[in-house]
Every structure is written in C-alpha cells, then in structure tokens.
Amino acid sequence: MTERNSLAQEVGAALRDHGITAAITALIGGTIALLAAVSRRAFTNDAMLARLDRELLAERDRVDRQRSEDRKSDADRLERIETDIRAMRNLMFDAFQRGHSD
C-alpha cells in the first residue's frame, strides 16, 4: 500500500511542479518500477520454490537410503537371531538325546 501512496504522491507532486507531461512520465516510471518489483518477487518465489523442491527431493532420497539401510540392518539382525535360535535348538536336542541314551 505504501508503494501506491508514494506513487500517487509522486504523480501529484510532478503534476504540480512540472505539468501533465512530467506526471505521465512519473506514472509510467512508477508503473514500470512496480511491475519490476512484482516480477522480481515472482521470480524470487519461483526460485525459492525450486530450491525447496530440490531440498525436499534430497531429503526424501536421504530418508529412503536410511530406510533401506535400516531394513538391511533389521534383516541381518533377524537372520542372526534365527541362527542363534537354531543353534540353541540343536544344542538342546543334542543334550536331550545324550541324556536319554545314558
């Protein structure tokens, strides 16, 4: 809103001081400046959104890699547990067999 007020004030001051030609020039210049500011903000927002998209993609990739590593770690741990259970079962079975044969 302050940009509009200052633009209107500039146009009014130019009209008072230099006439209609200067007022029109000030209006055109102010409009161009306003369009430049809006365009710059739009491009800045687009650049920010693109950067956020890249960061989000990188974070997703990192999380996917971490999940993959976690799944592999869990599978390795489960395999070790199953191996230990089989070994204990075999050990108990052998001990049971020896206990009955004596």
Side-chain angles (χ1 to χ4, degrees), residues 6-53:
S6 64
L7 179 62
Q9 290 170 352
E10 281 184 40
V11 171
L15 185 57
R16 277 192 309 273
D17 296 343
H18 303 289
I20 191 77
T21 305
I24 291 172
T25 303
L27 182 62
I28 291 171
T31 302
I32 290 171
L34 185 61
L35 288 174
V38 168
S39 297
R40 183 173 53 245
R41 182 164 288 162
F43 286 124
T44 301
N45 287 343
D46 285 346
M48 194 175 352
L49 286 174
R51 190 184 96 226
L52 288 173
D53 283 344

Side-chain angles (χ1 to χ4, degrees), residues 23-85:
I24 291 172
T25 303
L27 182 62
I28 291 171
T31 302
I32 290 171
L34 185 61
L35 288 174
V38 168
S39 297
R40 183 173 53 245
R41 182 164 288 162
F43 286 124
T44 301
N45 287 343
D46 285 346
M48 194 175 352
L49 286 174
R51 190 184 96 226
L52 288 173
D53 283 344
R54 286 190 306 272
E55 289 176 2
L56 180 61
L57 182 60
E59 183 65 15
R60 282 183 182 158
D61 288 345
R62 186 193 67 76
V63 167
D64 286 346
R65 280 192 309 274
Q66 184 64 45
R67 283 184 184 155
S68 177
E69 289 174 12
D70 290 347
R71 282 192 294 271
K72 184 181 180 316
S73 174
D74 287 346
D76 291 345
R77 187 173 58 82
L78 184 59
E79 185 177 337
R80 285 191 308 272
I81 290 171
E82 289 173 348
T83 300
D84 290 346
I85 290 171

